[in-house]
Amino acid sequence: MSQVFEGYERQYCELSANLTKKCNSATILDGEQKKQKVSEIKAGLDDAEALIRKMDLEARSLPPNVKATLLAKLREYKSDLNNLKTEVKRITSGNANQAARDELLESGMADANMVSADQRQRLMMSTERLNRSSGRIRDSRKTMLETEDLGVSILQDLHQQRQSLLHAHDTLHGVDDNISRSKKILTTMSRRMSRNKWIIGTIIVVLVLAILLVLYFKLAH
């Protein structure tokens, strides 16, 4: 999750709690004190709206999976801000009489506190769920990156093995060529030896016949 968004979120939660307290205290004030308190509340509402806009801009600048989570959380904060504005309008309304203020002191304040506390509790629970979801998304992203790195490493190993096999194939092909050339040379030598044998044999036969003829003529005379 964006650290910038979390910073705005903390500021808003603190400001919302402070504004709720001021709204509760403004209901029991009169005259100038009440006007001053309402002015402080309105200024705080302006600051809260500014934080909402900043959170909205920050959330929309993030990746889609994170943006969806933060926008869902932002809707809760916008609803909380609208409730605060409604409370301020009710406080500043000129139609409220003293009886209504007394009734508010007796029951309205307790109800408002319960509503605000319940809403903050829901916001905290929603924030916790969203944080858990963000954690699972980060874990899934981490696992995906680790798997991607492992796949790249395996592909590199396979490429190296392929290169080794191609080199071995080229080496075997060269050896096969050398064996073929050696075989041709041996065949040629064998043929030459056979031919030389026939030549030598022929010469021996001719020499023997010549010797026999010489002996024959010598014996005949």
Side-chain angles (χ1 to χ4, degrees), residues 132-151:
R132 287 198 298 267
S133 299
S134 299
R136 287 194 293 269
I137 291 173
R138 285 194 297 270
D139 293 339
S140 299
R141 182 178 178 82
K142 181 179 178 182
T143 302
M144 181 183 67
L145 291 175
E146 291 175 351
T147 303
E148 183 179 356
D149 291 340
L150 179 60

Side-chain angles (χ1 to χ4, degrees), residues 44-165:
L45 290 175
D46 292 338
D47 294 338
E49 285 183 337
L51 288 172
I52 289 290
R53 288 193 295 270
K54 291 178 180 179
M55 284 190 286
D56 186 77
L57 291 174
E58 179 63 20
R60 295 182 187 280
S61 67
L62 296 174
N65 56 343
V66 180
K67 179 173 68 175
T69 301
L70 296 183
L71 289 178
K73 184 184 294 187
L74 190 60
R75 284 193 291 271
E76 293 285 341
Y77 295 145
K78 288 180 178 179
S79 176
D80 177 68
L81 181 60
N82 289 331
N83 289 336
L84 288 172
K85 290 180 179 180
T86 302
E87 181 67 15
V88 171
K89 288 181 181 180
R90 189 188 62 78
I91 293 172
T92 56
S93 174
N95 296 328
N97 52 28
Q98 185 64 38
R101 287 197 298 269
D102 292 340
E103 183 181 358
L104 176 63
L105 290 175
E106 294 175 359
S107 61
M109 286 178 62
D111 293 339
N113 287 333
M114 290 179 62
V115 170
S116 298
D118 183 63
Q119 188 173 32
R120 283 195 295 271
Q121 183 66 24
R122 289 198 301 271
L123 288 173
M124 291 176 63
M125 292 175 63
S126 299
T127 301
E128 184 178 355
R129 287 195 299 269
L130 291 172
N131 288 335
R132 287 198 298 267
S133 299
S134 299
R136 287 194 293 269
I137 291 173
R138 285 194 297 270
D139 293 339
S140 299
R141 182 178 178 82
K142 181 179 178 182
T143 302
M144 181 183 67
L145 291 175
E146 291 175 351
T147 303
E148 183 179 356
D149 291 340
L150 179 60
V152 171
S153 177
I154 292 173
L155 288 176
Q156 290 176 349
D157 291 340
L158 290 175
H159 179 71
Q160 292 176 356
Q161 292 176 8
R162 181 176 180 273
Q163 293 298 115
S164 298
L165 290 173

Side-chain angles (χ1 to χ4, degrees), residues 1-17:
M1 185 180 294
S2 171
Q3 293 182 355
V4 176
F5 186 94
E6 289 179 349
Y8 293 149
E9 183 180 23
R10 284 193 298 270
Q11 293 179 36
Y12 177 81
C13 290
E14 293 172 358
L15 183 58
S16 176

Side-chain angles (χ1 to χ4, degrees), residues 197-208:
K197 286 180 181 180
W198 281 104
I199 293 171
I200 292 171
T202 303
I203 293 172
I204 291 173
V205 170
V206 170
L207 290 175
V208 169

